[in-house]
């Protein structure tokens, strides 16, 4: 077949449109129109309602005019002038028509259009401080979009520049999305997909043009196949992008941020100690607003007004995120891991969160389950906080699967008299077993071991319960006392559902999401709270009465002084008195205030020296003062109530991040207090009315607020990824990396990869060189280096020719290649063993090549070297 | 380098996504990076499992003949190849097997390319490259198939029906005393058979008479040999555009004095061999090449092989060459000198040779007709005065006709 054919002639024409043939193909034009329409649509969405509906047609019209002008054989400047004229007239006409209607324009012979144009020109030529009218704003936006459509079209169809044609509308789209409060992903995804299709089709066009120019024959349908291929790649990429969660990245970011802040704080402390400028007094600068597992008090905060969540609920609620139990003099941390550790566990053992299914309630203990009322809210999270669930009150349930981090109680050979005990007073996880045992009849074992249960069905249920408890792990043993009644002895640890510290999403997503949460709170009135006693459970006193050794005597004295002055004699009144003291005139609220000097307790500094602070100073002080009085309390972080939007939703912003106090009351559970000045105190004595959320449901039926019943079934205590037993076993064996941060782990992994890569390279490099003579080894290494440098060792080349080719390809190799090639030739074909002098010369040559190895692949280095050798 | 670039891009994008808080932008970055990575993988796979081969039924051709090349591309893989460009890097003038093809899963395609041999010499068919890329053309993928086939293209041989072959002066019935491996009518003697001798050379009468195998030895045929002296001195080469208006297609590919001289040498050699004369060749190029005079098809091939690659890169003047090689030319030899030289020195040498009864014929390629600065007319006149048969070839002239009558 001749190299030039009718096919090639047809190909020639592809580069030059004739008739209605679009050289670039309709596969470019249609996605182009769609991409620009999406850009205009995104602006329309945030634009001024119905008027903005003209933006899409105006943009597309600009594109089409650009296409026609680009294909006409006219001067560029003339084409631009024509486009601007057509665009201006069209935009003014359409905008006027929207204002007064087409009939009026026709009736007045287009005078209103001219008037609008004159108004705009006057406004810009003379300036005006008044707000731009909607019609004029619409004209300006429409004209801008017209020009965007025109310029994009011009660049693509006249200049054949694909990327510039896409960059401008793409940038506009992203800027629009940035200013949209809840940007929809569809326009961006659609734009990207269209851009990908355009890229594939445009590539086919360019290739066809090149093939035509070189008079190559090529088959039909290439463009279609490339577009299909591009569409597949685009679809996969979009699926990947929109299927990716950014949880790990947020964690890493937070980790890096926290570590960076800590490092910077340490530097500032060192500077401060040395008396150098830029130093601080040493207070930590962590932030409660990021809800880490521990944070330092103080430091400057600059929180944005970015919306974190919209909440639909009947009444405003504080959004609870997590709580802290240990004040260390400069910050807050949690001892939840300590409650989990069994004797013998390593220090890096962490508490395992307990999983809850959708709508599965937390089985609170009977000690606080009575007098609880449930509230429910629909939370629309816009800024994910590392998978933490925003809850209200004390977390009860959620419509999505969750994991609750909670304290654990340890049982050390606890004897339970099965026959006499009220099962509901036991930890929820033991209640099922005890209830089964209470229904069982026992017969002593003949071998003196555990008594066996006479009823087979109960026996199997008891065995199943005991197996389940082993997962925590809890070991149980049965015995009969002297009067034949069964005694259950329990050892191990169990989750404490009354002591939930934070709740995480089981399936973490980084995007915005909507879920319902239910929380419970005591219905106790002030009077009922005042009547509570001080018999606290052991876990409460152990965790929530801890005091730091940094607490000063004047702080302790102040606590007693406040309650004495207030005449408070019960925990509630004492707490109320302290709250009143802190919110009184003694203190001033200030978001950013200086920290204490080195070594001074933070609360002490706030209470007696600065008397200026923000919520964390107030809340920390209240907890410290309450604990001094023997009242268990904890610091809670989350968001205070914000404003209500037009949809009736409560809006929570970053700058509403807040800390407050929860106090434990006997029989009532955790009751919130608000010690921060300027904030409204909490109301007590909720009635058991149903809270109806004002917005539509998210799928599940809205449950009535219910009195929390005594739990009959406890949640299946499964660990996050592995059964508790397995996890504990792992923890007990311990891994050296358990205590390392993700950032450190990532760095270590990178280092390990680098070491492995170096090791692999060294092994690969030495592979096959064994048994060679020194000269042959040098030559073989040179060949490998040549392959790295892109010099092919053609079998037809002699070593000398290869050396020549090597030098011409990589002049920086110098004469070293020739030295090695000569030595190899001398040994291989001259049968001359390499003497000491030659060996040294060969080694020198190799070292020279190795030194330059890095630059062998560098085009820049090659060019420079070639230029040098030429100049020589 | 593409691998490094893509790894760098992925690493940079990963860091960006890890530390950027704008989720939508992160997704855009992921899309861009994913498109790049998938395109890169597509590009890497685009040539996997593809084989390219080509074949030519002959390895010798002559200017003006048609060369047929068959190219085959096969896809052994399951993934179809939307487009593959086969790019031909052959050095064969006028040859191009380049084409864009599309291959389905396990598909194959083949095509033939016919190329007219335009230029004598040794040319390569191949190497070729397979080129493809991802759908966006971001990562072109090129695989070079280095194999190549060497084709030797001989110069054209024109019919010289009326070219007078120079006659050597031979005494009648005299033995030439030059042994030849070929069977000729001139038996020189007999000798004892040695292994390797052909059976057709056994003298059965002598064998019967002597009781042992005896074979005959032959002398070369007692006709005068013709030596062709081709002058390839660089200084006298003149290039011109190929003559398109001539009837003989072969002349269209001859665009220099060198080509005319070489074609004339090949034509004269063929003519002499066909006429039963032994022919030898002396090419005075950068290295002097001498092919001893023989009378066989084999020597024709040798001469064509030599002429196929002869180029005007010589430094030695023709006069020196003739003086140096004179000893080869006895009175029984004819000498055909082919040159485009306008140097008068070689004319003097030829005149002397002629005076010594060496039958010399001069074929002069007139450089001026090719656009050269000097004319060969003066030399032609002097040769005529010396009685040397001279033929002139001019640009565009038919060599067969030009060598039919003396200038």
């Amino acid at each position: 077949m001749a190299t030039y054919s009718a096919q090639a002639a047809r190909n020639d024409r592809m580069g030059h449109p004739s008739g209605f043939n679009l050289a670039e193909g309709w596969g470019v034009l249609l996605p182009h129109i769609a991409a620009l329409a999406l850009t205009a649509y995104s602006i329309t969405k945030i634009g001024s309602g119905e008027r903005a509906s003209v933006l899409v047609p105006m943009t597309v019209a600009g594109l089409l005019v650009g296409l026609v002008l680009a294909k006409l054989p006219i001067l560029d400047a003339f084409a631009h002038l024509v486009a601007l004229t057509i665009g201006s007239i069209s935009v003014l006409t359409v905008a006027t028509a929207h204002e007064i209607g087409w009939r009026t324009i026709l009736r007045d012979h287009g005078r209103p259009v001219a008037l609008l144009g004159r108004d705009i020109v006057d406004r810009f030529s003379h300036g005006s401080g008044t707000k731009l009218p909607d019609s004029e704003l619409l004209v300006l936006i429409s004209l801008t979009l017209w020009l965007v459509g025109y310029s994009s079209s011009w660049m693509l169809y006249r200049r054949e520049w694909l990327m510039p044609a896409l960059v401008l509308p793409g940038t506009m789209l992203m800027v629009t999305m940035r200013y949209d409060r809840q940007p929809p992903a569809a326009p961006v995804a659609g734009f990207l997909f269209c851009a990908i299709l355009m890229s594939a089709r445009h590539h086919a066009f360019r290739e066809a043009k090149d093939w035509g120019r070189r008079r190559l024959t090529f088959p039909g349908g290439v463009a279609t196949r490339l577009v299909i291929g591009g569409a597949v790649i685009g679809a996969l990429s979009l699926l990947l992008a929109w299927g990716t969660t950014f949880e790990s990245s947020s964690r890493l970011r937070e980790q890096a941020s926290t570590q960076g802040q800590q490092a910077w704080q340490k530097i500032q402390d060192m500077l401060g100690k040395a008396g150098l400028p830029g130093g601080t007094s040493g207070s930590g600068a962590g932030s409660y607003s990021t809800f880490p597992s521990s944070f330092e008090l103080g430091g400057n905060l600059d929180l944005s007004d970015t919306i974190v969540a919209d909440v639909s609920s009947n009444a405003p609620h504080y959004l609870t995120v997590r709580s802290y139990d240990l004040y260390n003099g400069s910050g807050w941390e949690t001892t939840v891991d300590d409650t989990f550790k069994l004797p013998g566990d390593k220090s890096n053992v962490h508490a395992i969160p307990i999983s809850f299914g959708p709508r599965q309630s937390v089985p609170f203990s009977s000690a606080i389950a009575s007098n609880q009322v449930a509230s429910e809210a629909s939370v629309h999270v816009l800024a994910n906080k590392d998978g933490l669930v925003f809850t209200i009150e004390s977390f009860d349930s959620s419509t999505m699967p969750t994991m609750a981090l909670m304290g654990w109680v340890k049982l050390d050979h606890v004897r339970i008299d099965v026959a006499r005990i009220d099962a509901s007073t036991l930890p929820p996880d033991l209640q099922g077993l005890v209830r089964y045992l209470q229904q069982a009849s026992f017969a002593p074992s003949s071998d003196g071991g555990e008594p066996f249960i006479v009823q087979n069905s109960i026996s199997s249920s008891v065995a199943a319960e005991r197996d389940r408890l082993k997962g925590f792990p809890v070991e149980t043993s049965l015995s009969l006392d002297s009067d034949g009644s069964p005694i259950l002895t329990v050892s191990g640890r169990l989750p404490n559902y009354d002591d939930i510290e934070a709740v995480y999403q089981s399936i973490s997503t980084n995007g915005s999401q909507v879920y319902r949460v239910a929380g419970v709170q005591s219905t106790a009135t002030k009077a009922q709270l005042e009547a509570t006693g001080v018999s606290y459970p052991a876990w409460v006193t152990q965790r929530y009465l801890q005091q730091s050794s940094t607490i000063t005597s004047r702080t302790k004295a102040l606590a007693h002084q406040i309650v004495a002055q207030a005449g408070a004699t019960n925990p509630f009144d004492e707490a109320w008195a302290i709250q009143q003291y802190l919110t009184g005139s003694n203190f001033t609220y200030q978001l950013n205030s200086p920290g204490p000097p080195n070594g001074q307790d933070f609360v002490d500094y706030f209470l007696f020296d600065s008397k200026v602070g923000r919520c964390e100073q107030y809340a920390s002080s209240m907890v410290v003062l309450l604990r001094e009085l023997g009242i268990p309390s904890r610091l809670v972080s989350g968001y205070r109530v914000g404003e209500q939007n037009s949809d009736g939703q409560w809006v929570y912003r970053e700058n509403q991040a807040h800390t407050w106090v929860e106090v434990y009351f006997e029989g009532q559970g955790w009751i919130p207090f608000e010690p921060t000045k300027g904030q409204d105190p909490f109301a007590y004595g909720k009635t058991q009315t149903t809270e109806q959320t004002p917005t539509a449901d998210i799928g599940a039926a809205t449950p009535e607020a219910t009195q929390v019943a005594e739990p009959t079934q406890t949640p299946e205590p499964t660990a996050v990824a592995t059964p508790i037993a397995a996890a504990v076993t792992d923890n007990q064996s311990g891994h050296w990396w358990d205590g390392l941060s993700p950032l450190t782990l990532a760095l270590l992994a990178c280092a390990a990869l680098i070491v492995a890569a170096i090791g692999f390279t060294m092994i690969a490099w030495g592979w096959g060189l064994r048994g060679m003579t020194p000269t042959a080894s040098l030559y073989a290494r040179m060949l490998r280096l040549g392959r790295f440098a892109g010099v092919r060792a053609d079998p037809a080349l002699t070593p000398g020719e290869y050396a020549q080719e090597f030098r011409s390809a990589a002049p920086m190799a110098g004469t070293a290649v020739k030295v090695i090639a000569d030595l190899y030739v001398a040994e291989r074909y001259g049968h001359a063993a390499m003497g000491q002098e030659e060996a040294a010369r060969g080694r020198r040559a190799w070292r020279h090549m190795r030194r330059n190895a890095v630059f062998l692949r560098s085009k820049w280095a090659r060019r420079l070297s070639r230029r040098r050798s030429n100049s020589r | 380098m593409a691998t490094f670039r893509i790894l760098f891009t992925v690493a940079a994008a990963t860091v960006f996504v890890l530390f950027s808080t704008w989720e939508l932008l992160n997704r855009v970055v992921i899309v861009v990076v994913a498109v790049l990575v998938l395109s890169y993988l597509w590009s890497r796979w685009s040539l996997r499992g593809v084989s390219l081969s080509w074949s030519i039924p002959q390895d010798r051709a002559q200017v003006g003949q048609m060369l047929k090349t068959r190219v085959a591309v096969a896809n052994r893989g399951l993934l179809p190849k939307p487009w593959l460009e086969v790019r031909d890097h052959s050095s064969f003038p006028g040859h191009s097997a380049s084409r864009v093809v599309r291959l389905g899963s396990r598909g194959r395609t083949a095509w033939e390319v016919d190329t007219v041999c335009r230029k004598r010499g040794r040319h390569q068919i191949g190497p070729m490259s397979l080129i493809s890329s991802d759908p966006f053309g971001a990562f072109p993928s090129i695989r070079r198939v280095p194999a190549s086939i060497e084709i030797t293209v001989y110069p054209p041989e024109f019919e010289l029906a009326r070219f007078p072959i120079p006659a050597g002066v031979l005494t009648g019935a005299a033995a030439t005393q030059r042994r030849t491996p070929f069977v000729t009518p001139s038996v020189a003697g007999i000798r004892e058979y040695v292994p390797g001798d052909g059976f057709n050379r056994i003298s059965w009468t002598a064998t019967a008479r002597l009781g042992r195998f005896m074979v005959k030895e032959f002398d070369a045929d007692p006709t005068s040999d013709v030596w062709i002296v081709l002058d390839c001195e660089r200084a006298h080469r003149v290039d011109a555009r190929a003559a398109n208006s001539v009837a003989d297609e072969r002349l269209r590919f001859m665009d220099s004095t060198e080509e005319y001289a070489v074609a004339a040498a090949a034509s004269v050699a063929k003519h002499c061999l066909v006429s039963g004369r032994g022919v030898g060749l002396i090419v005075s190029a950068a290295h002097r090449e001498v092919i001893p005079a023989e009378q066989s098809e084999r020597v024709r091939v040798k001469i064509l092989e030599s002429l196929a690659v002869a180029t005007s890169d010589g430094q030695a003047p023709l006069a020196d060459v003739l003086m140096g090689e004179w000893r080869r030319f006895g009175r029984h030899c004819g000498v055909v000198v082919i040159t485009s030289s306008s140097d008068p020195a070689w004319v003097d040498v030829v005149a002397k040779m002629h005076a010594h009864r060496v039958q010399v014929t001069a074929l002069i390629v007139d450089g001026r007709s090719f656009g050269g600065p000097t004319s060969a007319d003066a030399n032609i006149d002097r040769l005529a005065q010396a009685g040397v048969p001279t033929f002139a070839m001019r640009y565009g002239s038919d060599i067969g006709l030009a060598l039919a009558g003396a200038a």
Side-chain angles (χ1 to χ4, degrees), chain A residues 536-856:
Chain A
Y536 304 111
W539 63 268
V540 172
T541 54
Q542 279 163 14
R543 287 196 76 188
Y544 299 106
L545 286 178
Q546 300 177 85
Q547 283 287 47
S548 168
S549 58
T550 59
I551 304 297
T552 57
S553 53
R554 58 178 179 175
T555 303
K556 294 174 183 174
L558 178 66
H560 295 286
Q561 183 190 333
I562 293 167
V563 295
Q565 282 175 355
T569 55
N570 58 67
F572 180 82
D573 286 345
E574 288 173 351
W576 190 262
I578 287 171
Q579 177 182 280
Q580 291 300 105
Y581 175 76
L582 291 170
T583 54
S585 57
N586 300 317
F587 302 95
T588 307
Y589 181 89
Q590 190 173 307
L591 183 62
N592 293 316
S593 57
N598 272 338
Q600 185 173 356
D601 180 81
F602 213 98
V603 167
D604 179 82
Y605 178 71
F606 170 69
L607 288 174
F608 300 104
D609 297 334
S610 73
K611 301 199 177 204
V612 168
R614 57 177 178 239
C615 57
E616 59 185 2
Q617 277 95 335
Y618 285 94
S620 302
S621 301
M622 181 165 181
V623 172
V624 167
L625 294 171
L626 285 174
R627 288 185 181 181
E628 174 56 26
L629 298 171
I631 301 171
S633 53
R634 64 185 182 186
L635 184 132
V636 184
S637 62
Y639 294 92
R640 60 183 166 78
V641 178
E643 80 274 23
Q644 210 167 7
N645 65 15
S646 56
D647 297 331
Q649 295 171 315
W650 300 95
V651 178
Y652 295 81
R653 299 177 187 275
E654 288 283 7
N655 55 17
Q656 287 165 226
H658 189 52
T659 55
W660 62 96
V661 174
E662 282 184 348
V663 180
Y664 190 88
F665 288 92
E666 184 191 345
Q668 304 298 338
W670 294 105
I671 304 293
F673 281 79
E674 178 53 276
T676 304
K677 189 170 184 179
Q679 299 298 321
D680 294 333
F682 287 99
Y684 304 107
K686 274 193 171 183
T687 55
Q688 295 185 20
T689 53
T690 304
E691 278 193 7
Q692 294 291 344
T693 51
T695 54
D697 197 356
I698 53 168
T702 311
E704 295 295 312
T706 52
Q707 185 79 19
V708 175
E710 183 178 292
T712 54
Q713 194 177 4
T714 57
E716 197 63 30
T718 52
V720 180
T722 52
I724 281 180
V728 172
T729 306
D730 285 346
N731 283 337
Q732 281 171 343
S733 64
H735 294 294
W736 59 268
W737 61 77
D738 286 344
L740 299 179
S741 69
L743 193 64
T744 315
L745 278 174
L747 289 173
L748 283 174
C750 286
L753 274 176
I754 291 167
V755 169
I758 291 171
F760 176 77
T761 310
M762 287 175 72
I763 291 170
W765 185 254
W767 199 267
L769 295 179
R770 289 181 67 184
M772 283 186 175
T773 63
T775 317
S777 168
L778 278 179
Y779 188 69
R781 280 184 275 174
M782 188 176 84
L783 290 179
R784 291 181 182 184
L785 203 60
R787 275 201 296 276
F788 171 74
V791 184
R792 285 186 174 276
D794 194 317
L797 293 180
T798 63
E801 288 168 342
Y802 176 74
Q804 186 61 35
E805 194 152 305
F806 199 126
R807 283 189 69 183
S808 59
M812 71 285 289
T815 54
V817 269
K818 188 167 185 322
V819 169
I820 293 174
D822 288 347
L823 287 172
Y824 177 69
V825 169
E827 183 188 82
R828 180 79 174 80
Y829 303 107
H831 301 290
M834 189 160 57
Q836 281 187 349
E837 194 181 327
E838 282 86 6
R841 205 148 56 90
R843 282 197 297 272
R844 273 200 304 277
W846 171 247
R847 278 200 294 272
H848 172 79
M849 289 187 70
R850 198 174 52 189
R851 266 200 305 276
N852 289 288
V854 179
F855 304 108
L856 290 179

Side-chain angles (χ1 to χ4, degrees), chain A residues 9-318:
Chain A
R10 185 173 67 80
N11 299 342
D12 265 2
R13 288 198 298 273
M14 286 196 67
H16 309 283
S18 62
F20 288 100
N21 268 343
L22 183 63
E24 290 82 357
W26 298 102
V28 171
L29 180 62
L30 296 178
H32 195 191
I33 291 173
L36 283 173
L38 283 167
T39 304
Y41 169 76
S42 68
I43 296 170
T44 305
K45 226 181 129 278
I46 60 168
S48 51
E50 197 184 325
R51 287 164 181 274
S53 62
V54 300
L55 297 182
V56 174
M58 292 313 293
T59 311
V60 175
L63 185 153
L64 294 175
V65 167
L67 170 63
V68 171
L69 291 175
K71 294 297 178 191
L72 288 177
I74 54 175
L75 284 175
D76 290 11
F78 179 69
H80 300 333
L81 194 65
V82 169
L84 191 62
T85 309
I86 296 173
S88 304
I89 294 170
S90 308
V91 163
L92 283 171
T93 309
V94 170
T96 313
H98 257 266
E99 197 75 16
I100 59 174
W102 289 99
R103 283 174 184 279
T104 318
I105 294 176
L106 291 171
R107 194 188 61 213
D108 294 344
H109 307 293
R111 188 172 295 167
V113 176
L115 284 174
L116 179 60
R118 199 187 62 189
D119 287 349
I120 293 173
V121 171
D122 285 349
R123 182 176 295 277
F124 283 97
S125 54
H126 302 304
S128 170
T130 58
K131 189 176 171 244
L132 210 60
D134 281 355
S135 57
E136 293 180 18
L137 186 66
L138 184 65
V139 167
L140 291 177
I141 296 174
S142 300
L143 189 59
T144 306
L145 283 171
W146 168 283
L147 292 176
V148 167
Y150 168 76
S151 58
S152 175
S153 190
W154 182 268
M155 282 188 271
L156 185 56
Y157 303 110
R158 182 79 158 208
R159 300 275 175 233
E160 296 177 8
W161 298 337
L162 178 70
M163 289 314 289
L166 288 170
V167 163
L168 185 59
T171 307
M172 280 190 81
L173 179 65
M174 290 306 288
V175 169
T176 309
M177 290 291 144
R178 189 62 176 163
Y179 283 96
D180 196 347
R181 216 189 68 183
Q182 294 175 23
V188 176
F191 183 92
L192 287 170
F193 191 67
C194 290
I196 289 165
L197 291 183
M198 284 171 69
S199 301
R201 183 62 187 87
H202 199 258
H203 171 227
F205 159 70
R206 286 199 318 270
E207 289 291 354
K209 200 172 168 188
D210 181 49
W211 296 332
R213 188 177 49 76
R214 292 194 284 128
R215 300 182 183 282
L216 296 185
T217 55
F218 63 90
V222 170
T224 310
R225 280 164 178 80
L226 289 183
V227 170
I228 291 171
V232 170
I233 286 179
L236 287 174
S237 305
L238 287 168
L239 279 175
L240 177 72
W242 263 266
T244 302
T245 59
F246 298 98
E247 185 203 5
S248 54
S249 70
S250 321
R251 285 202 179 151
L252 189 57
R253 196 165 53 239
E254 185 199 310
Q255 192 80 28
S257 166
T258 308
Q259 289 183 357
Q261 281 180 358
Q262 286 172 354
W264 175 238
Q265 186 58 43
K266 279 180 185 167
I267 292 168
Q268 282 185 317
D269 289 350
M270 286 165 64
L271 292 173
K273 281 176 187 169
L276 294 171
T280 63
S281 57
S283 62
S287 171
Y288 65 89
S289 62
T290 55
F291 312 110
S293 55
S294 64
F295 67 90
E296 294 291 298
L297 293 163
N300 286 339
L301 273 184
D302 183 17
L303 300 174
S304 70
D305 63 350
T306 307
I307 297 176
V308 177
D310 294 331
V311 175
S312 301
S313 63
N314 199 29
H317 294 277
Y318 274 36

Side-chain angles (χ1 to χ4, degrees), chain A residues 358-361 374-378 396-399 516-519 689-693 697-707:
Chain A
R359 292 273 179 206
Q360 186 179 9
S361 289
S375 306
E376 194 166 294
S378 174
D396 177 59
S397 65
S398 169
T399 50
R516 278 185 182 281
V517 287
T689 53
T690 304
E691 278 193 7
Q692 294 291 344
T693 51
D697 197 356
I698 53 168
T702 311
E704 295 295 312
T706 52
Q707 185 79 19

Side-chain angles (χ1 to χ4, degrees), chain A residues 474-534:
Chain A
V474 169
E475 290 298 329
T476 54
S477 62
L478 269 174
S479 59
L480 296 176
D481 68 1
S482 53
D483 61 354
S485 61
I487 300 294
L488 177 69
T489 307
V490 184
S491 293
R493 65 180 162 214
L494 284 171
N496 183 1
Y497 301 101
D498 297 350
D499 190 18
I500 291 177
E501 194 169 287
V503 184
Y504 293 91
Q505 303 163 13
S506 288
I507 305 160
S508 183
T509 55
N510 202 37
S512 68
Q513 56 185 161
V514 183
Y515 53 80
R516 278 185 182 281
V517 287
V520 294
Q521 194 178 351
S522 171
T523 57
T525 59
K526 266 189 176 181
Q528 287 171 314
L529 290 170
E530 283 166 358
T532 55
V534 292

Side-chain angles (χ1 to χ4, degrees), chain B residues 17-31:
Chain B
V17 169
L18 282 175
F19 290 97
S20 162
T21 54
W22 189 9
E23 191 179 310
L24 194 61
L25 185 61
N26 286 348
R27 295 197 194 283
V28 172
V29 170
I30 289 174
V31 169

